[in-house]
């Protein structure tokens, strides 16, 4: 009505003045300024739309974490907030992993489990049939396989070296001969000496290759030749009573995702 006619006249006046000054004015923006209720509606719609996208991404992220499925990030995967390369040295490929936690629930380190191409292929092939059974025999075969494999530990927080050494060697001493256990303990002590701290984000890898175990942190490395140690180490994480159920479950989830890809 009368008010709309005045509004059109005002817009024409503004537009004409702008043209005279060599400027251009967005009529749509002028209309929204003339109608603050409509402007608020458009702003609210944009906020709701962007909020919906962010919420969807958040829910997907939670679902992936709850299923222990590694999230792809370029040439790496993310496990519990830490990045692991999809392919490590010697052509090893990550299968899956999870986090070792304290009894109180605090996160100690996140582990990525790697196998060579042949070993990864064997794991995936064993899981492809619909009738495939994930019984303990499957995990025992994986742990004792002759494939080159590795466990990469990335620490979630600062930890005493003595605590980590006791956690690993204490468990190994129950399943290894004393000589083998002592050899591994000595090699580990050369990499993480007693009385020192392991800072958060430190990476320690345990590589198994042709009967030799190599522990590495940065440029430092120590090796032990003993064919019984590697199956025992992998048995700690994939055995019937794993030191971390989260790591074993994450290995399974990663393997199944490869089998169904």
């Amino acid at each position: 009505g009368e008010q709309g006619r005045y509004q059109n006249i005002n817009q024409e006046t503004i537009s004409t003045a702008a043209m005279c000054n060599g400027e251009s004015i967005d009529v749509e923006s002028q209309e929204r300024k003339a109608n603050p209720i409509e402007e608020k509606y458009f702003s609210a719609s944009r906020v709701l739309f962007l909020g919906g996208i962010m919420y969807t991404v958040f829910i997907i992220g939670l679902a992936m974490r709850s299923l222990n499925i590694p999230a792809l990030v370029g040439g790496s995967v993310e496990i519990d907030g830490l990045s692991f390369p999809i392919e490590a040295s010697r052509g090893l490929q990550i299968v899956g992993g999870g986090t070792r936690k304290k009894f109180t629930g605090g996160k100690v380190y996140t582990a990525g489990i790697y196998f060579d191409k042949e070993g990864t292929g064997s794991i995936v092939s064993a899981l492809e049939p619909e009738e495939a059974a994930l019984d303990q025999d499957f995990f025992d075969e994986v742990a004792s396989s002759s494939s080159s494999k590795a466990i990469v530990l990335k620490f979630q927080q600062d930890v005493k070296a003595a605590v980590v050494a006791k956690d690993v060697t204490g468990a190994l001493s129950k399943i290894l001969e004393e000589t083998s256990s002592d050899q591994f303990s000595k090699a580990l002590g050369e990499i993480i000496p007693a009385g020192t701290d392991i800072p958060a984000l430190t990476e320690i890898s345990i590589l198994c290759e042709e009967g030799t175990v190599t522990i590495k942190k940065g440029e430092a490395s120590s090796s032990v030749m003993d064919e019984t140690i590697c199956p025992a180490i992998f048995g700690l994480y994939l055995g019937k009573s794993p030191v971390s159920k989260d790591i074993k479950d994450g290995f399974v989830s990663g393997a199944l995702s490869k089998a169904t890809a």
Side-chain angles (χ1 to χ4, degrees):
E2 196 71 23
Q3 184 178 355
R5 207 164 53 243
Y6 284 132
Q7 185 174 320
N8 290 335
I9 293 171
N10 287 338
Q11 288 176 1
E12 289 175 6
T13 304
I14 292 171
S15 180
T16 303
M19 290 176 63
C20 291
N21 292 327
E23 301 173 352
S24 62
I25 290 180
D26 186 353
V27 174
E28 183 180 355
S29 67
Q30 290 295 335
E31 288 176 351
R32 289 183 184 172
K33 287 179 180 178
N35 192 340
I37 295 177
E38 185 179 355
E39 176 65 21
K40 288 181 180 179
Y41 170 77
F42 279 110
S43 298
S45 298
R46 284 195 292 269
V47 170
L48 288 173
F49 177 72
L50 293 174
I53 292 176
M54 292 176 68
Y55 179 75
T56 301
V57 172
F58 174 71
I59 292 299
I60 291 173
L62 284 180
M64 294 184 74
R65 287 194 175 191
S66 65
L67 293 172
N68 278 337
I69 299 174
L72 291 175
V73 183
S76 64
V77 296
E78 186 178 294
I79 305 176
D80 207 355
L82 296 180
S83 179
F84 290 79
I86 293 175
E87 186 169 312
S89 60
R90 293 176 170 81
L92 299 183
Q93 302 172 0
I94 193 165
V95 177
T99 298
R100 173 77 162 111
K101 299 174 182 176
K102 300 178 182 179
F103 290 114
T104 56
K107 299 176 182 179
V108 182
Y109 60 77
T110 298
I113 300 179
Y114 288 77
F115 277 79
D116 61 20
K117 187 175 181 180
E118 182 180 349
T120 301
S122 297
I123 293 169
V124 171
S125 296
L127 295 176
E128 282 179 344
E130 292 183 5
E131 66 276 8
L134 285 176
D135 54 22
Q136 191 52 46
D137 288 343
F138 165 77
F139 295 104
D140 292 342
E141 288 177 11
V142 169
S144 61
S145 71
S146 59
S147 302
S148 295
K149 48 190 177 288
I151 296 176
V152 178
L153 312 179
K154 287 195 174 185
F155 287 79
Q156 293 271 4
Q157 59 175 293
D158 297 349
V159 185
K160 297 289 184 183
V163 173
V164 176
K166 183 180 179 180
D167 181 51
V168 177
T169 60
L172 285 176
S173 66
K174 298 176 182 178
I175 53 180
L176 281 175
E177 293 290 336
E178 185 176 351
T179 302
S180 300
S181 179
D182 289 346
Q183 284 184 320
F184 182 81
S185 296
K186 181 181 178 181
L188 185 62
E190 293 174 0
I191 302 303
I192 51 171
T196 62
D197 292 333
I198 302 174
L201 302 182
T202 294
E203 178 177 313
I204 297 175
S205 61
I206 303 173
L207 171 67
C208 296
E209 197 170 37
E210 297 179 355
T212 299
V213 184
T214 300
I215 309 168
K216 185 175 182 181
K217 178 172 75 75
E219 297 299 319
S221 66
S222 183
S223 298
V224 178
M225 291 186 66
D226 188 322
E227 294 182 352
T228 66
I229 296 178
C230 275
I233 291 173
F234 274 78
L236 290 182
Y237 296 97
L238 301 178
K240 187 175 182 179
S241 301
V243 295
S244 170
K245 186 176 183 298
D246 189 71
I247 294 175
K248 184 176 181 178
D249 289 346
F251 172 82
V252 173
S253 296
L256 287 173
S257 68
K258 286 180 179 290
T260 56

